[in-house]
Amino acid sequence: MPAAVAALWKLVPPPALCGFLLLLALMFMASYAAGAAVGPVAPGMHETGTSRDGDDGGDGGGDTGGGGMDMDMGDTHGSGGR
């Protein structure tokens, strides 16, 4: 039976790899739980599959996602006197 045990022992991954994978899984579960507890943090993010006030989830039409910021810089090079 020692030959069968030796063959089985070759199939088992090293303990350090098992520990690393366990740690990786625990870290993933902890970060997922923390993210689920906090919820969406970016402005305008909504949970998927839900709607507010009967809205169909659309953005209301035509907004290009500038976040309300006017991107026109105007005359920023000081060439107003030319």
Side-chain angles (χ1 to χ4, degrees):
M1 194 114 98
V5 173
L8 185 61
W9 187 253
K10 288 182 180 181
L11 296 175
V12 176
L17 178 62
C18 293
F20 173 73
L21 292 176
L22 179 65
L23 180 64
L24 189 66
L26 289 174
M27 293 298 292
F28 176 76
M29 288 190 311
S31 65
Y32 184 82
V38 171
V41 293
M45 283 185 68
H46 306 290
E47 291 183 13
T48 59
T50 61
S51 61
R52 273 194 295 181
D53 300 331
D55 187 18
D56 63 354
D59 61 357
D63 187 20
T64 58
M69 293 175 48
D70 185 12
M71 298 304 288
D72 184 20
M73 299 301 282
D75 185 20
T76 59
H77 296 289
S79 61
R82 291 186 204 175

